[in-house]
Each structure stands twice: as structure tokens, then as C-alpha cells.
Amino acid sequence: MTDTKALEQRLEALETDSRRLDTSPDELGAWLEEMGRFSKRYLKENADGPAYLPLGSPRGDEPLPREPSPFLDVMRDFERLALTTGIVPTSGRFFGYVPGGGLPTAAAADYLAALTNRYSGAYGAAPGAAMIENITLRWLIEMIGYPDSAWGTLQSGGSLATLTAVVAARESRPPWEWMRSAIYMTEECHLAIRKSLHIAGLAHVPCRTVPVDDKLHMSVPDLERMIAEDRGKNLQPWMVFASAGTVNTGAIDPLDAIAQVARDEGLWFHVDGAYGAFFLLTEQARGRLLAMAQADSVVLDPHKGLFLPYGCGAVLVRDGELLRRAFSFTLSYLSDVEHKEHSPSAYSPELTRHFRALRLWMSLKTHGLDRFRAALEEKLLLARLAWERLGTMPRIDPGPEPELSC
């Protein structure tokens, strides 16, 4: 028979040790003061700091920590390991690719999300957290111009958002028809699309590479020709992937014309707007991006076009119910948190998920949309100015006229 007294004594000793994981308000306040000092120093140095720090070999062979370390020492180790080498995406001098600058409002939001640790996957578990995500999705739906039937999800970035869209598209056709179907994209499409097709079990579905024109846009006549050829081979055209801003040059495919082909041929039309979709907010680019509203699915990354830190991509699907059917599962232990309102996990591969909507909600609320619009307009003008000035230099080919910011 178990010695109850011994168990109680052991439990009391363990409770004393485990309680040391708790943090007192004063201790947390001291940490925040140190983080505040670091943040001010970082932002000041970052304002005119380098975009790249030479690659070194930060010592990473630390033993598993058994004993506690002072918070200040841990902060210094963080700076040494994470901030002394490599690319600095927050720098205004960084033009290497398309990251977000990392708005401090999003950093504050992530701190609050982690501190309060609300479970944002199910509406019934944290209605406020789920509602904040639902609000941000409605804002994105409004930006794109989708109907009320649309819905979406916030993911860690464009890759998982693309995978989510591909899985939703996959549900539009029964499995026994997949191998007799055909998929269309150009070589300019992001690698996340082919990777998503592979993960979703569609790697062996016939995939056609559609030629591009001299401005690296998808050739719609070639798309139509390839579709006709596939029908002649008794294949069923299925999906077409277009770009609203390619990685290489920022080219925008002729979305209107592709949308028309997709409607006429019964194809699922996906737009990769991870980089370019938010330029829809600008007067300069809006006309070329309006047709995203005709797509069956759209990917757009707030951690690019809205300057948030890494870890916030979005996918919107015109038929929100199709997206729900692709990802909604439940079991008895979830019955208490089911609700008629949208639960984010019902539209996502994730069940447990970071409360990432807070960074988007708080940044848009704090700054307002007009500041983001102005920043995006600025980037378009900078690209135009750089292109024009490069064109005046001898022996320099500035390349195609910029459609977006690259």
C-alpha cells in the first residue's frame, strides 16, 4: 500500500521547486525594464545600422542548462547569438528580398499573446481571441473584394497558406480523378506551390509549365492552347496558379484574362499574392490587382506587405465552406468548445495555434490603414525612381519596367 505521508512530503518539496517557474510582478517588471532598454537601443542603432553583418560562427555548443541564469545574462547571450551575424531585415538599407520590417506594435502584440496565452484555436475556449482573428479575416476579405461567403485562415507564412489553399482546391475533385487532371503554372511561380502540391499528395498529377512573355507574364494564349491539348489527351484541366508579384521581378500575371479562362474551362484559379497582394491598397497598382477578387483562393502575407514580423501569412478562399470541409474535424474532448461562430482551427491544419492575429489586429488598429497605404505607395515610387535612374547609366540594363517594388 502506498505511503500517503511520503507522497505528500514529496509533493510538497516538488511544489516548492516548481513554483520557482512562477514570476513575481516585480521580477517581470525588472525584465520588462531591461527589455525596454534593449528595445530603445536596438531601434536607435537599427535606424542607420547595416543591412548585413558578416557571417561568423557564434558559439552554439552550450550544455543543457541545469541551473538558473540571471535574466540579464540570458539577454546578453541572445544578443551575442542572434544579432551579431547575418541579414538584418529590420534595417532600412536591406533590399535583398521581401521581408517585413517588423513593426514594434506586432512585437508588443506577440508579448501580450504569449503572456496571456489565450487558446485561439476554438471560439468556445477563448471567444475574444477567436473573434479578433475573425475580425482580421473580415478585414482581409474586404481588402481583396471577396463575397461574404469567403473565409480564410492566418498561417505562419506563404508556404503553409499555399498548402492550405491547395488542400482546399484538392477537395473540389474526388481522388479517383486526380491523375487524369492537369495543373498549370509558369516557371516564375513561387516554389511553395510545387512543394505544396507534393505535400498534398498531388506531385504526380500532370503539371504544365506555361510559357511567359517578354515581361515574364503568363502567356494566356499558351495557357489556352495547353488546356485544349490536354483535353485532347482525355485529361481534365483542374488548377491554374497565377502570380500577383513574382519573387524574381515583381511581375503581375494578367489576372483578368486568366480568371476568364478559368471560368470558361472550369479550373480552380489560385493567385499567389504573398508578396504583391497588399499593393491593391495603392492607386498605382490597384487596377492590375482587382481581379484577385475573381480567384478561388488567394495567398497574401501580412509579414511582407503590412510590414509585420515573420510568422503571419494568410489564405482566403472564395467558398469558405469548402475550406471548412477540408480542415474541420472534432472529437468528444472538443465538444465543450464547439460554437456556431467561426473557430480558427476548423479552417486550418493547426489545432493548437499561436494567437498570431493579435499582431495584425493591433498594428492595423494602432496605425490605421492610411499609413500602410502610404508606405506601400512609397515603395512603388522608390522602385520607379531607381529603374529610371539606372536606365540613364551607361552599360546598365535596368531590366523590365517595375510593376511593384522590385
Side-chain angles (χ1 to χ4, degrees):
M1 190 170 181
T2 304
D3 186 341
T4 303
K5 187 64 175 177
L7 284 177
E8 290 175 348
Q9 291 174 345
R10 177 60 177 153
L11 180 60
E12 184 176 350
L14 288 173
E15 183 179 12
T16 299
D17 286 341
S18 65
R19 286 284 183 180
R20 293 175 182 172
L21 287 173
D22 294 342
T23 303
S24 71
D26 288 343
E27 188 176 21
L28 179 58
W31 294 355
L32 290 175
E33 287 180 7
E34 175 57 32
M35 290 172 64
R37 287 190 289 270
F38 162 78
S39 300
K40 286 193 282 188
R41 185 175 76 252
Y42 180 81
L43 291 176
K44 182 178 180 180
E45 294 172 354
N46 182 73
D48 57 2
Y52 179 79
L53 299 168
L55 288 178
S57 300
R59 184 180 174 188
D61 57 347
E62 299 182 10
L64 179 65
R66 303 282 181 182
E67 299 298 325
S69 299
F71 184 77
L72 185 60
D73 291 350
V74 177
M75 282 289 295
R76 296 295 172 263
D77 285 345
F78 158 70
E79 294 185 55
R80 175 181 58 82
L81 288 170
L83 304 181
T84 57
T85 62
I87 294 168
V88 186
T90 53
S91 170
R93 290 185 169 89
F94 181 67
F95 296 97
Y97 53 96
V98 192
L103 289 176
T105 47
D110 280 356
Y111 167 75
L112 295 174
L115 180 71
T116 59
N117 199 31
R118 292 295 188 269
Y119 172 59
S120 65
Y123 187 95
M131 185 54 68
I132 284 175
E133 177 153 343
N134 293 347
I135 288 169
T136 60
L137 286 168
R138 290 190 181 100
W139 289 344
L140 297 178
I141 287 168
E142 179 182 347
M143 290 181 197
I144 293 296
Y146 262 177
D148 291 341
S149 60
W151 203 247
T153 178
L154 297 177
Q155 294 295 298
S156 61
S159 292
L160 276 184
T162 301
L163 175 61
T164 303
V166 166
V167 172
R170 189 186 65 185
E171 297 303 298
S172 69
R173 187 162 291 186
W176 54 87
E177 293 185 3
W178 294 352
M179 293 308 296
R180 293 179 55 248
S181 301
I183 297 170
Y184 307 88
M185 69 183 75
T186 74
E187 287 187 348
E188 297 298 310
C189 281
H190 197 281
L191 65 85
I193 296 173
R194 291 186 184 272
K195 185 174 182 179
S196 295
L197 291 169
H198 174 79
I199 295 171
L202 303 178
H204 300 295
V205 173
C207 187
R208 310 306 189 205
T209 301
V210 183
V212 296
D213 62 20
D214 59 350
K215 294 184 177 179
L216 302 180
H217 300 146
M218 179 183 286
S219 168
V220 176
D222 282 307
L223 172 63
E224 293 174 315
R225 173 183 57 79
M226 297 173 88
I227 289 172
E229 290 174 353
D230 283 337
R231 290 200 186 280
K233 297 173 184 176
N234 201 30
L235 293 174
Q236 299 177 11
W238 188 6
M239 306 178 198
V240 57
F241 292 88
S243 298
T246 60
V247 172
N248 283 330
T249 64
I252 302 172
D253 286 328
L255 303 179
D256 264 321
I258 298 170
Q260 185 62 55
V261 172
R263 282 194 300 272
D264 293 344
E265 299 287 351
L267 275 66
W268 181 282
F269 176 31
H270 174 83
V271 174
D272 175 15
Y275 156 46
F278 284 109
F279 286 100
L280 179 70
L281 299 174
T282 70
E283 291 299 322
Q284 297 177 65
R286 182 171 177 78
R288 286 170 290 175
L289 295 169
L290 281 172
M292 289 191 297
Q294 302 177 50
D296 294 288
S297 53
V298 176
V299 164
L300 57 166
D301 277 359
H303 68 206
K304 293 185 178 74
L306 295 182
F307 314 106
L308 300 189
Y310 292 124
C312 190
V315 57
L316 305 178
V317 177
R318 169 177 284 275
D319 183 352
E321 177 58 22
L322 185 63
L323 179 64
R324 189 196 65 79
R325 292 203 306 268
F327 291 102
S328 181
F329 290 84
T330 190
L331 283 172
S332 59
Y333 51 77
L334 294 173
S335 60
D336 291 342
V337 294
E338 290 178 358
H339 200 276
K340 64 180 180 180
E341 296 287 345
H342 294 299
S343 284
S345 63
Y347 298 84
S348 165
E350 300 170 303
L351 183 58
T352 300
R353 57 205 317 276
H354 176 56
F355 186 12
R356 62 176 63 92
L358 190 60
R359 58 168 67 175
L360 176 56
W361 178 86
M362 185 169 284
S363 296
L364 285 170
K365 292 269 288 185
T366 300
H367 293 292
L369 196 60
D370 285 346
R371 291 183 185 177
F372 290 96
R373 181 180 289 109
L376 291 168
E377 292 272 9
E378 176 197 36
K379 305 305 177 284
L380 295 177
L381 291 176
L382 284 170
R384 163 67 61 173
L385 183 62
W387 181 77
E388 290 181 353
R389 288 185 176 176
L390 286 170
T392 66
M393 298 178 183
R395 298 186 297 277
I396 294 290
D397 179 358
E401 181 178 353
E403 295 179 68
L404 294 176
S405 63
C406 66

